[in-house]
Amino acid sequence: IIGLAIFLGVHSIAIVAPAFRDRARDRLGEGGWKGLYSLASLAGFILICYGFGLARRAPVVLYTPPHWLRYVAVALMLPVFPLLFATNLPGRIRTATQHPMLAGVTLWGIAHLLANGMLADVLLFGGFLGWAIVDRISRKRRPPRILRSAAARPWNDAAAIVVGLAVYVLFITWAHRRLFGVAPLG
């Protein structure tokens, strides 16, 4: 829970305190701000991984989803990696979704909540899902930020899809079991 609070808290500064973020970035410099942000995010991420591992040793069941929902989750996960790659590859996907990473995190959270019913799962996946929804809504109310970005290229969408699907296949056939001890396909 502390890891989630740190990680999602750092990622929520733009939502709840954009002026603070701007002042801190101006005071620390771009590199200093990004360094501090990255260190806090990494600390939160490490605590999330550690805490989730501990919570899985003594699971608390909130609900037991039917087995077939695992396959729905696998299908919902299909666009997640392409969306994540499209975040940094300007193209039609990024333009259409406006923020592909938030769309990917939303799908990731929904998929995992459908397939998992332990308290730790609900805290982790529900926390990220809630954050993504709040961030998405808040983006409509915040003034747009001009970010430097690579030029849109016609092949960026193809690259995001091909690389994203390759990572997805690697994840569901090998990496998910290796990293998290769970085989998505059973």
Side-chain angles (χ1 to χ4, degrees):
I1 292 173
I2 293 170
L4 280 170
I6 292 170
F7 188 88
L8 296 176
V10 167
H11 285 81
S12 296
I13 292 173
I15 298 170
V16 298
F20 168 80
R21 179 201 57 214
D22 293 340
R23 285 192 310 273
R25 188 186 63 230
D26 292 344
R27 189 172 46 246
L28 298 170
E30 188 76 25
W33 169 251
K34 286 183 177 180
L36 186 60
Y37 188 97
S38 298
L39 285 174
S41 295
L42 180 61
F45 183 73
I46 290 169
L47 287 171
I48 288 169
C49 294
Y50 178 71
F52 192 73
L54 287 178
R56 288 179 66 190
R57 292 182 189 166
V60 176
V61 178
L62 295 180
Y63 58 92
T64 305
H67 184 73
W68 59 268
L69 277 178
R70 292 180 92 183
Y71 300 104
V72 173
V74 168
L76 281 174
M77 287 295 297
L78 191 63
V80 170
F81 288 106
L83 285 166
L84 295 179
F85 283 103
T87 300
N88 295 310
L89 294 169
R92 289 183 177 182
I93 296 171
R94 192 162 105 177
T95 301
T97 60
Q98 296 179 3
H99 200 299
M101 186 176 293
L102 290 177
V105 170
T106 299
L107 287 172
W108 175 81
I110 291 168
H112 284 79
L113 286 172
L114 288 175
N116 302 284
M118 302 297 171
L119 176 60
D121 300 320
V122 171
L123 290 173
L124 176 64
F125 306 120
F128 273 90
L129 174 61
W131 168 81
I133 291 169
V134 168
D135 195 10
R136 183 67 161 204
I137 292 167
S138 76
R139 285 181 174 276
K140 294 177 182 175
R141 292 178 169 79
R142 290 185 275 175
R145 293 184 62 211
I146 298 171
L147 301 173
R148 284 180 280 147
S149 178
R153 304 269 189 239
W155 57 82
N156 283 352
D157 289 330
I161 292 168
V162 169
V163 174
L165 291 177
V167 171
Y168 171 78
V169 169
L170 178 69
F171 229 77
I172 65 168
T173 58
W174 178 79
H176 200 279
R177 180 194 321 244
R178 183 87 169 126
L179 293 172
F180 309 115
V182 177
L185 299 175

